[in-house]
Amino acid sequence: MTEVKVLDREGKDAGSAELPDDIFDVQANIPLMHQVVVAQLAAARQGTHMAKTRGEVSGGGKKPYRQKGTGRARQGSTRAPQFAGGGTVHGPVPRDYSQRTPKKMKRAALRGALSDRARAEQVFVVSSLVEGDTPSTKSALTALRQVTKAARVLVAVAREDELTWKSLRNAPEVHLLAADQLNTYDVLVNDDVVFVGDALDEFLGVQGHGSASASEEEQA
């Protein structure tokens, strides 16, 4: 296992945490990560776009001019595709863009993305970002900047950590996610990954691992 420092609000050493090698030190499969990201973005599409065919455009029931004698090509409707205001040929229709992606593929892609960030020393663990019991965006951002200067930061928070949720949910430079909702796309699109409080343990619990924090028994 890889051991990383747990930082406090001031960016100082406040302990250590262990990152399991089978999650944070695996070989990144780039084609797999690409496939999973494309599938995730495709699933987010509504697919409600639609263009009308010539049979669905209103009007055009009258023949625009007689069949012969005009010197022009024969036409039966002004709603044919070649006319302005006419129908669309082979236009988009409502469809489902989602792709089937097995859970094993999603997990493997996420582990590859996290391993890439961990090897670049872009994974951080922070004990807390807010002091006291009152949410404070200014205080949380100040503490976060003691940990990372990245322009885009993914902050993983435990679901019960309402203090951090309320403090960072409106910060545009921070992407806030529950620890059990980490995904390949959000890890890759952000520069650094920061686990706050019990978020790392919660994430490892979902992945089938125990606590990540260094045991107090070992420190005693």
Side-chain angles (χ1 to χ4, degrees):
M1 289 189 177
T2 303
E3 190 172 282
V4 295
K5 294 181 179 179
V6 177
L7 306 176
D8 59 14
R9 296 182 61 256
E10 298 179 355
K12 298 180 180 178
D13 191 356
S16 62
E18 292 182 343
L19 303 180
D21 290 341
D22 59 342
I23 296 180
F24 292 92
D25 191 21
V26 301
Q27 181 65 38
N29 187 332
I30 295 178
L32 174 62
M33 291 191 293
H34 176 269
Q35 181 178 348
V36 171
V37 168
V38 168
Q40 182 177 340
L41 295 178
R45 298 183 65 175
Q46 288 185 324
T48 55
H49 45 20
M50 180 180 178
K52 293 182 178 181
T53 64
R54 62 182 296 173
E56 296 168 327
V57 179
S58 61
K62 181 179 180 296
K63 189 174 175 65
Y65 46 82
R66 67 180 188 269
Q67 181 84 347
K68 295 178 178 294
T70 64
R72 291 181 290 180
R74 54 192 177 186
Q75 302 292 341
S77 172
T78 56
R79 296 299 181 262
Q82 67 269 25
F83 286 102
T88 302
V89 180
H90 305 306
V93 294
R95 55 167 291 191
D96 180 13
Y97 283 94
S98 62
Q99 304 175 17
R100 180 183 177 275
T101 309
K103 291 182 179 180
K104 286 186 177 181
M105 291 177 59
K106 293 179 181 179
R107 290 176 180 173
L110 175 58
R111 294 181 180 191
L114 288 172
S115 297
D116 178 75
R117 291 292 182 263
R119 280 190 287 268
E121 298 183 353
Q122 292 175 289
V123 175
F124 303 92
V125 182
V126 184
S127 57
S128 67
L129 292 176
V130 184
E131 186 176 8
D133 298 326
T134 304
S136 173
T137 300
K138 181 178 180 180
S139 176
L141 287 178
T142 300
L144 186 62
R145 288 310 171 198
Q146 297 297 323
V147 178
T148 172
K149 304 293 184 182
R152 297 172 62 116
V153 182
L154 173 62
V155 177
V157 185
R159 287 191 175 273
E160 297 76 17
D161 190 358
E162 294 186 6
L163 189 62
T164 306
W165 273 107
K166 292 180 179 179
S167 298
L168 290 177
R169 61 187 177 185
N170 291 328
E173 65 270 37
V174 175
H175 186 64
L176 205 58
L177 271 184
D180 57 359
Q181 294 296 314
L182 278 180
N183 59 83
T184 306
Y185 173 76
D186 287 319
V187 171
L188 294 178
V189 80
N190 289 281
D191 300 316
D192 289 350
V193 181
V194 178
F195 291 91
V196 181
D198 297 329
L200 181 58
D201 289 339
E202 188 173 296
F203 170 70
L204 295 180
V206 173
Q207 297 295 317
H209 284 267
S211 174
S213 301
S215 64
E216 296 181 357
E217 298 178 357
E218 295 177 356
Q219 298 177 358

